[in-house]
Amino acid sequence: MEKAKLVIIGSGPAGYCAAIYAARANLNPVLFEGFMSGGVPGGQLMTTTEVENYPGFPDGVMGPELMAKCRDQAARFGTRILTEDVGSVDFSKRPFKIFGGNTQVEAETVIICTGATAKRLEIEGAGDGEFWQKGVTACAVCDGAAPIFRNKDLYVIGGGDSAVEEAVFLTKYAKKVFLVHRREELRASKIMADRAKKHPKIEILWNSEIVKITGDQIVQKIHLKNLKDNQIQEREAGGVFFAIGHQPNTAFLNGQLKLNEAGYILVHNGTCTSIEGIFAGGDVQDWIYRQAVTAAGTGCMAALDAERWLAHQEH
Ligand code: NAP
């Protein structure tokens, strides 16, 4: 089994930023950037288009390009990057054991940055190779400003805070935003729910679900089913946005760290997890902000926390 001072599990802004800091601190980090499971190497930005809110890029930057630059920066300072998924870990005692697809490493300290994956619905027309990323997306804030959505009827699926937030965000571009919810009461907090109900450009479609998405090159229509009377209506649509929550990528931990009820890693004092010597950054521990820049920030914090913890062990 290989030995390392620090293993970083997961990539994206958090993992790469943790690696940049750790490598520059001469910790020779090994980074498992992932391969197939959960998200993709580079995280959620790999599936988005233009990122306009990451500081330092006044003209915007494509998500995959930003992640390629972060990866290069991590490699430049000596991070060993493995394009492998971590299938399981053994955190029962130190050194911690990490079991990758091909490589197994014993680490003195570990940073987890495996992110979260936006949940998608299996609707006819919404899949890869259909209209996914051609009008169907799971991130209004990332994709909503694209020209294809301008002045169109847009549909947001979900009834939680994310759905309301995304619907309100989309009103800047849309002709009208329809919030499609499967029940007749929103899950969102009262203040957010009121915001949706009062907004002149938002209409809530209660007890409804989208059962089919059609179009040519991009989305043109949806089939909306009323769950009370099972009637199906065909409607014009410029886009469909899933806002039904995220799934943190924590299954590989197999219950070894404390998680909240939604599966996110619980952290305290910065990025400390429930096991001393194991830290977490990025969306895997953040169900509130979930931005590239906050992920990079907490990745940096995790590297500094790990470095200080290692220094403390050696004295
Ligand atoms: P959420 O609260 O879990 O809401 C998910 C919504 O999607 C629910 O309304 C749910 O419907 C619906 N849904 C789930 N599965 C579905 C399916 N298969 N088909 C149709 N609809 C489905 O998730 P979230 O809105 O992403 O929020 C996650 C957490 O982040 C919450 O704690 C939230 O308060 C927080 N958050 C806060 C803010 C803010 O304060 N500004 C913004 C975003 C998120 P049901 O209601 O019927 O279950």
Side-chain angles (χ1 to χ4, degrees), residues 94-149:
R94 297 206 291 263
F96 306 117
K97 294 188 181 66
I98 295 97
F99 302 95
N102 297 313
T103 315
Q104 304 183 349
V105 188
E106 273 186 359
E108 288 171 45
T109 176
V110 178
I111 296 175
I112 299 166
C113 301
T114 42
T117 306
K119 290 186 205 159
R120 284 165 62 175
L121 287 173
E122 287 184 19
I123 298 173
E124 188 183 340
D128 296 317
E130 296 180 306
F131 294 103
W132 176 248
Q133 294 297 336
K134 293 177 187 154
V136 182
T137 114
C139 180
V141 180
C142 324
D143 303 321
I148 58 166
F149 299 124

Side-chain angles (χ1 to χ4, degrees), residues 156 160-167 188 192 243-246 290:
V156 177
D161 282 331
S162 294
V164 172
E165 197 169 65
E166 306 225 337
M192 296 288 277
I244 56 166
H246 284 71
R290 300 193 294 225

Side-chain angles (χ1 to χ4, degrees), residues 7 10 22 41 120 139 173 177 191 218 221 224 246 295-296:
V7 164
R120 284 165 62 175
C139 180
Y173 311 105
V177 180
I191 187 166
I218 53 171
K221 292 203 165 109
L224 185 79
H246 284 71

Side-chain angles (χ1 to χ4, degrees), residues 154 166-177 199-202:
L154 304 181
E166 306 225 337
V168 171
F169 178 83
L170 289 171
T171 58
K172 283 192 280 189
Y173 311 105
K175 182 161 84 186
K176 187 155 183 190
V177 180
H199 201 294
K201 278 174 90 177
I202 297 178

